[in-house]
Amino acid sequence: MRAAAQADLFGAVDPVLPPGIALFRGRIPLAESRVLLDDMLTVFAAAPPYRLRMKTGAYVINQLTNCGELGWHSDSQGYRYVDRHPEQGTPWPAIPPRVKAAAIAAARECGVADFDPDACLVNLYAAEGKLNLHQDHDEADFAWPIVSFSFGNDGVFALGGAKRRDPVQGVTLHHGDVMVLHGPGRMLFHGVKKIVPGTAPFQHSAIPANGRLNLTLRRAT
Ligand code: MD3
Ligand code: FE
């Protein structure tokens, strides 16, 4: 009896996150999440999601796009921020004001009063999508936080340490969760292990079928 209750309780408890990683569970209410996803449809009309190509010429399964003055991109010339859509040749659309305001508010609660993101990377995960362990180091000043929003199906996030070989812990990110990576958390290795099908609270045309949408707002310059 007691042991079972404890197991249930422990099963629901979040893993302890290291300093510099703040996870706001269910931060975006369901109704607001629909509005933010509708805003992303406007972004996609101007900057359609596209696939990166690997050196082999094969396409990566996940899609991406960006909004803001700068957007993250990778090609034969390497990983970097660019000021226009690589396939359309047009400037990235603005970060939707509601999205930007939500990121600024989350950063402020983490003690960063003057976060002014100029880049928002949109990752669209297919059902089979994942993201290999990496560090985000293409920004000019790592003192600025990164603010992440999760929508759609759950993603099993992998959080490592300062070195690639450090142990990794799994953290499930749900629809409406917001994560702020700041200070000692900013340069930790991380990735996405898998998407958990059937866990999205609703379908939305901005989110790939059985997939997940992640926004990361950054200061690139
Ligand atoms: C921890 N995206 O776009 S978001 C990325 O779910 C990226 O799509 C993942 O990693 C996703 O670069 C994770 C949460 C996140 C973002 C940046 C971090 C966690 C981070 C930077 C440092 C440490
Ligand atoms: Fe990252």
Side-chain angles (χ1 to χ4, degrees):
M1 252 321 237
R2 187 170 159 76
Q6 283 188 337
D8 287 346
L9 178 63
F10 291 154
V13 167
D14 266 334
V16 174
L17 296 171
I21 306 277
L23 176 54
F24 297 89
R25 289 290 192 198
R27 166 88 177 197
I28 311 293
L30 223 51
E32 187 186 340
S33 71
R34 291 182 188 277
V35 173
L36 299 184
L37 289 166
D38 289 348
D39 285 345
M40 295 317 295
L41 290 176
T42 306
V43 167
F44 296 169
Y50 65 99
R51 287 187 167 82
L52 297 177
R53 269 173 84 134
M54 295 184 282
K55 276 171 273 186
T56 62
Y59 284 95
V60 171
I61 183 154
N62 298 327
Q63 293 184 274
L64 78 154
T65 190
N66 291 273
C67 48
E69 291 98 275
L70 291 168
W72 187 88
H73 175 65
S74 164
D75 59 18
S76 56
Q77 296 169 62
Y79 305 118
R80 65 201 187 283
Y81 283 90
V82 295
D83 69 358
R84 54 199 60 237
H85 192 293
E87 295 182 354
Q88 306 276 111
T90 47
W92 301 110
I95 301 173
R98 286 182 277 247
V99 173
K100 192 168 172 171
I104 288 172
R108 179 176 289 271
E109 286 178 39
C110 293
V112 183
D114 52 352
F115 183 47
D116 183 17
D118 60 3
C120 172
L121 170 59
V122 186
N123 285 128
L124 297 117
Y125 291 84
E128 334 74 280
K130 60 189 190 74
L131 182 64
N132 290 332
L133 207 65
H134 67 276
Q135 281 176 312
D136 289 31
H137 50 44
D138 300 319
E139 300 75 26
D141 185 352
F142 306 143
W144 292 116
I146 292 178
V147 181
S148 142
F149 297 82
S150 292
F151 297 108
N153 287 281
D154 294 351
V156 181
F157 176 69
L159 182 62
K163 289 167 287 182
R164 184 174 286 278
R165 63 184 151 83
D166 286 338
V168 166
Q169 72 176 126
V171 183
T172 300
L173 298 179
H174 307 283
H175 180 103
D177 288 354
V178 175
M179 193 148 79
V180 180
L181 309 314
H182 185 222
R186 174 65 180 76
M187 297 313 287
L188 299 179
F189 276 89
H190 60 280
V192 177
K193 283 197 264 200
K194 63 172 181 182
I195 307 304
V196 189
T199 53
F202 56 80
Q203 310 289 118
H204 190 284
S205 57
I207 305 173
N210 305 308
R212 172 173 179 266
L213 187 152
N214 178 261
L215 304 175
T216 45
L217 285 90
R218 304 129 185 267
R219 180 83 211 169
T221 56

